[in-house]
Amino acid sequence: MTKAPTRGEKSTAAPFILDRWSPRSFEPVEIGVTDLLGLLEAGRWAPSAYNSQPWRFLYARRGTLDWDRFLSWLIPFNQSWASNASAIVYIASHTVMTPPGGAEPVPSPTHAFDAGAASAMIELQAAREGWATHPMSGFDSARARAGLELPEDYALHAALAIGRQGKAEALPEALRGREVPSDRVPLDTLVFEGRFPS
C-alpha cells in the first residue's frame, strides 16, 4: 500500500480542493444575506439525477430571530463551537421526483447523493470566498424537522456551519489540538478496479 499524501505532500487534486477543510473555530461575526445566498447559489449548480435538483437549504444567520432555534437543535458538543458561526444551514432533499415524461412522482433513489454533491459545491465556493464551513450530523433530527416544518417527503441530512475562521485558542481547551486539517487514507484503500476486494 502507498502512504496517504498529507496536506504538505504532492497530490493530483486541485489546490482549491486540498485547501478546503472543516475548522471548528469561528469568529462571531455576521454574514449578510447577499453573501450567504451567493454561497448557496453554488449548490444550485450541482449535478442531480434527471436534473431533479432535490436539495433544499434552510438557513438562519447570526443576529436574526431564527438563530437561537437553529443552534438549539445541535447537540451540546456542536453548540459549544458552532455558536460562533455566522450561519447554520440545514440540508434536506426531496425523496420523490417526477421523471421526464412522467405524470406521477416516484421514489428518488439518489436524493441524498445529490444533496451531498450540492453541499460539497457550497463548501468549495465558501472556501474560495474566504469563508470556512463545517458539516455536522450531530443534531436532534426530530426537533429540527418539527422546527423547520419539513414535509414528510423530505429527508433531513446535515447541518452546515458557515463563518470566518477563528483562532484555535478561541475553542474549548479539549478541541484546540484537533483544530488542524485532516489527512486522508491512501487512495488504494478506497478505489478498486473491477470488483470489491475480498
Side-chain angles (χ1 to χ4, degrees), residues 36-180:
L36 180 57
L37 292 179
L39 303 181
L40 299 180
E41 165 73 4
R44 191 167 72 96
W45 292 94
S48 61
Y50 295 100
N51 195 31
S52 60
Q53 302 171 46
W55 45 75
R56 301 294 185 270
F57 312 123
L58 299 100
Y59 70 86
R61 295 179 300 121
R62 163 179 289 283
T64 65
L65 292 175
D66 289 317
W67 176 251
D68 287 337
R69 289 190 319 119
F70 274 54
L71 191 63
S72 74
W73 304 326
L74 302 178
I75 62 172
F77 172 78
N78 286 338
Q79 288 182 28
S80 73
W81 55 266
S83 59
N84 283 333
S86 302
I88 297 173
V89 181
Y90 282 89
I91 300 170
S93 63
H94 204 191
T95 62
V96 297
M97 60 175 285
T98 303
E104 297 294 327
V106 298
S108 173
T110 62
H111 67 91
F113 179 85
D114 297 341
S119 178
M121 300 280 264
I122 292 167
E123 294 170 54
L124 290 170
Q125 181 72 25
R128 183 178 181 273
E129 300 293 331
W131 295 93
T133 58
H134 193 114
M136 299 169 276
S137 62
F139 61 91
D140 187 320
S141 183
R143 289 182 59 222
R145 285 190 68 92
L148 296 168
E149 301 180 15
L150 201 63
E152 288 186 9
D153 58 350
Y154 283 81
L156 185 58
H157 302 290
L160 182 66
I162 300 175
R164 297 293 188 193
Q165 187 175 349
K167 295 181 179 178
E169 293 76 25
L171 289 169
E173 188 172 351
L175 291 178
R176 293 174 193 168
R178 296 170 58 181
E179 192 66 355
V180 293

